[in-house]
Amino acid sequence: MSNQKKNQNQNPSKNQNANQNQYPNQNHNSYPLENEDFNLKETKPTLGGGRVTANDRLGTAFDLVEQMHYLYVRVVKAKDIPLKKDGNSNPHPFVEVQLGNLKGLTFHFEHKSSPEWSQVFVVLKDRIQSRVLEVCLKDKSRIGDSDDGLIGKVNFEINEVPKRVPPDSPLAPQWYWMENRKGEKVKGELMLAVWIGTQADEAFQEALHLDATAVNGDGVANIKSKVYLSPRLWYLRVNVIEAQELQIGNKNRLQPEIYARITLGNVVLRTKNSLSKNVCPSWNEDLMFVVAEPFEDQLVLSVEDKVAPNKDELLGKCVISLQDVEKRVDFSTPISKWYGLEKEVVSEGGNSKVSKLNSKVHLRLSFDGGYHVLDELTHYSSDLKATSKELWKPSIGVLELGILNAQGLSPMKNRDGRGITDPYCVAKYGQKWIRTRTIINSFNPNWNEQYTWEVFDPCTVITIGVFDNCHLQGEDKNDKAKDSKIGKVRIRLSTLETNRVYTHSYPLIVLTPAGVKKMGEIQLAVRFSCSSLFNMLAMYSQPLLPTLHYLHPLTYYQIDNLRHQATQIVATRLSRAEPPLRRELVEYMLDVGSNTWSIRRCKANYVRIAGILTGLIAICKWFNGICTWKNPFTTVLVHIIFFLFVCFPRLILSSMFVVVFFIGTWNYRMRPRKPPHMDIKLSQAERVPWDELDEEFDTFPTSRNNDAVRMRYDRLRSIGSRMQAVAGDLANQGERFYNLLTWRDPRATALFLIFCLVASVVLYVTPFTVLVSLMGFYTMRHPKFREKLPSVPLSFFRRLPAKTDSLL
């Protein structure tokens, strides 16, 4: 075992190479290519069959996507199929739809002369390379080396196929006579419907694409578009109050250390050891869990005694069903109940049975519906409503998303010796997830699918991700195969103008162990329609989260732990759907692991803070220029304005707000015209050293060798020493301020008190206007009257003592 671990430590790049397998064709340089464009581009696609301008306010179904024309073939049923050649049995019929080199098959029946299929086949009109559509009825039992099993066929000229545009009613199927290869009429009829339609057709969602017929088995379900709903999540609060009449194995123990352990699904939490060291312990401690409807799991509570450092004795347990737990929308005290404990006892014969004990445990259980269960970070959450529907407010608008296409996607895997990509999109907003169909083997897929969400809060974010489907054509034989991420886009609704169509091409950017990489671009059309402007503006005055988050806030540890539980429940539930939204996909969309340590993120946050302080620093530099008389005219003008403010103090606040108003009005001309997008410069991803990327993609706990861990530790020590110096300097200044009155330096305190006494008399007899004028003019005095030495108050303050003398 030790040799195996040693070999792993000697190969620090093993984990990195595993992460790089899903990006087989990427450049292993840590820096992006200089000619790569990571900017957002505005596009002007032809939406809804005609040009839609940016200010188009008309909303109809499928008006945010480009119309794509498809050839539809509905195979309904057949009748009067002739018997086999032996004349004694019915055939095994199935239908083959063939269009050039594209072919699709229905399922087959055994020994049936009047089968019914009701299957729809579809193919993009631009991919049609034949003038004739053949619909062949075949016998599966006759297919051999010299017989294709043909019973009869029906031919359609593509140019003569009728067109249908919703909301027209569906085209009625008709009976068609069949003929053989020689054009002779044969016995039997096929009921078919053939038409040209768009993706708005009702049959499009369940249709089988002829260009994807190579996918079979379970892979067919994995390529269709679907809509999913996240499970409804509740916070379960378990208040463990006390226990009575516990039976301890060793009755000679005078001070048992008793605690309660609660298990719900895969989550285990425990209380602290009871402070009352007896058989009637009390805790009065709250434990929080996340539970999804329907409440299938049972709560298992066990009371245990810690008899040794690594040994716990079970004193009893109880199993509680969650079906009858009280639901509350406020913080009213729920009804408490006593639950009897039981214990598994082994008889002399070796048989075990459950024995009921006289011991009881006192609990309060409640589902807290007044909270919002956080499964996303609040910075870019898509849903902020409380769990209980009683607290929901009416929707304020509608969000419409058109997923048009993608361009220049990178190869994500190898098949038959060449790089390919089978892309699909996933979008998440609120509880609703959508998944587009998978486009087989395409670097420039066209989806042109449109989806709609209700909006309850404008300060929310929709997330759109692009993935490569790795579960087609036998690739799903290995359960460990994961869909590779190609990139994602976040759009904050509050940054969008209402009733305006935004059409942009967003860069798909991922950070890999080899550095940042542009995986392609995705073209989206977005429109946020507001039903009531007043209700939307009123939302800005409401708390971001439900009121219970502020009246009875959760701790940071609870929020982090509960969010982890929520993401695991959502990922598990959605991975059980058909087709599944796989765990790696859900975790990527929910940004699981985004709070892990990263030097790159620390640098990005530092740059963000520096950007916030840029305005304040600019004001300080401007005021320093006033004080140093760099521009005498401006300095004299500031003196005059300052004197006016001193004489008329009522103008101060009103002037400040007027200045802010004019600054905001002036900035309206330069307002952002595009939605925000992933910025590699802000993310500090342009120039990331290899060792920092290696640390960011490392597992927790680390899987690197000792030398790499030692290097990182030394780097953290260097960073920590600088932070330690800054923290020590701040502590020194604070302690000096407090020591002004503590007589730690008796002479300094005496001088300060004498100054305070003199200042009180001077300030009492001096008018306030005169005092402020003198202080202002003194601060802005000419450089001829300044000295480069520190001022007297600053010199006095720096001489005060601090507690650094007492540090080891």
Side-chain angles (χ1 to χ4, degrees), residues 591-663:
D591 290 281
V592 175
S594 58
N595 287 333
T596 55
W597 164 255
S598 168
I599 294 182
R600 178 188 60 82
R601 290 197 188 99
C602 291
K603 292 179 180 178
N605 291 331
Y606 173 80
V607 171
R608 292 169 59 196
I609 294 175
I612 294 173
L613 299 178
T614 300
L616 181 61
I617 295 174
I619 294 176
C620 294
K621 290 182 178 179
W622 173 81
F623 185 72
N624 183 64
I626 296 297
C627 296
T628 55
W629 291 70
K630 288 185 177 180
N631 190 338
F633 175 78
T634 305
T635 304
V636 172
L637 183 60
V638 170
H639 278 73
I640 296 174
I641 295 175
F642 172 75
F643 184 74
L644 289 176
F645 282 159
V646 171
C647 297
F648 304 98
R650 293 180 301 175
L651 298 177
I652 297 176
L653 291 178
S654 61
S655 300
M656 289 175 58
F657 284 105
V658 168
V659 170
V660 172
F661 171 78
F662 281 112
I663 292 176

Side-chain angles (χ1 to χ4, degrees), residues 318-342:
C318 63
V319 180
I320 304 172
S321 174
L322 301 181
Q323 300 293 334
D324 301 327
V325 175
E326 177 185 352
K327 296 179 180 179
R328 58 177 183 171
V329 297
D330 52 14
F331 217 69
S332 57
T333 304
I335 300 175
S336 61
K337 294 183 180 180
W338 288 92
Y339 296 88
L341 299 180
E342 56 187 23

Side-chain angles (χ1 to χ4, degrees), residues 396-429:
I396 62 171
V398 174
L399 172 64
E400 298 169 275
L401 172 67
I403 303 177
L404 303 179
N405 53 60
Q407 301 91 26
L409 298 183
S410 300
M412 301 303 297
K413 57 180 176 286
N414 294 316
R415 183 186 296 160
D416 298 331
R418 59 191 182 91
I420 64 169
T421 300
D422 302 320
Y424 67 94
C425 290
V426 174
K428 196 263 182 188
Y429 183 78

Side-chain angles (χ1 to χ4, degrees), residues 377-528:
L377 293 176
T378 54
H379 310 306
Y380 29 80
S381 179
S382 63
D383 184 18
L384 301 171
K385 303 189 302 295
T387 300
S388 178
K389 290 186 177 180
E390 301 176 20
L391 303 178
W392 290 10
K393 297 180 181 179
S395 63
I396 62 171
V398 174
L399 172 64
E400 298 169 275
L401 172 67
I403 303 177
L404 303 179
N405 53 60
Q407 301 91 26
L409 298 183
S410 300
M412 301 303 297
K413 57 180 176 286
N414 294 316
R415 183 186 296 160
D416 298 331
R418 59 191 182 91
I420 64 169
T421 300
D422 302 320
Y424 67 94
C425 290
V426 174
K428 196 263 182 188
Y429 183 78
Q431 288 186 311
K432 181 178 176 181
W433 298 65
I434 65 95
R435 170 178 175 157
T436 67
R437 68 188 187 280
T438 300
I439 307 298
I440 305 299
N441 190 15
S442 176
F443 299 131
N444 301 286
N446 290 303
W447 291 288
N448 283 296
E449 298 184 22
Q450 183 170 338
Y451 299 92
T452 305
W453 290 266
E454 278 190 309
V455 177
F456 293 87
D457 194 311
C459 301
T460 47
V461 177
I462 181 174
T463 304
I464 304 101
V466 184
F467 301 88
D468 174 51
N469 199 330
C470 295
H471 294 83
L472 308 175
Q473 302 182 14
E475 292 169 282
D476 53 348
K477 292 181 180 178
N478 184 6
D479 293 336
K480 295 183 180 180
K482 295 183 179 181
D483 289 354
S484 303
K485 56 181 181 288
I486 300 178
K488 66 181 174 183
V489 176
R490 297 192 195 102
I491 302 176
R492 183 173 293 274
L493 271 60
S494 59
T495 62
L496 305 178
E497 297 180 11
T498 56
N499 302 315
R500 175 186 170 186
V501 178
Y502 288 83
T503 54
H504 292 88
S505 183
Y506 295 81
L508 296 172
I509 306 171
V510 294
L511 187 66
T512 70
V516 67
K517 179 175 177 60
K518 181 180 178 181
M519 309 298 293
E521 296 181 354
I522 181 171
Q523 188 175 1
L524 303 174
V526 184
R527 177 171 55 208
F528 173 37

Side-chain angles (χ1 to χ4, degrees), residues 293-326:
E293 292 183 350
F295 306 127
E296 300 171 348
D297 295 331
Q298 290 183 322
L299 187 75
V300 180
L301 181 143
S302 60
V303 181
E304 303 179 13
D305 179 18
K306 192 173 186 62
V307 297
N310 295 319
K311 183 179 180 181
D312 298 330
E313 178 187 357
L314 178 64
L315 304 181
K317 70 175 183 178
C318 63
V319 180
I320 304 172
S321 174
L322 301 181
Q323 300 293 334
D324 301 327
V325 175
E326 177 185 352

Side-chain angles (χ1 to χ4, degrees), residues 26-27 77 105 123 127 165 178 275 278 283 324 339 346 365 373 384 390 409 419 427 492 499 577 585 705 751 759 785:
Q26 69 180 359
N27 186 358
K77 56 185 176 180
L105 305 176
V123 62
R127 300 198 62 177
V165 179
M178 296 186 295
L275 297 178
N278 51 45
W283 297 279
D324 301 327
Y339 296 88
V346 180
L365 300 177
V373 180
L384 301 171
E390 301 176 20
L409 298 183
R492 183 173 293 274
N499 302 315
L585 181 153
N705 58 20
L751 288 174
F785 304 101

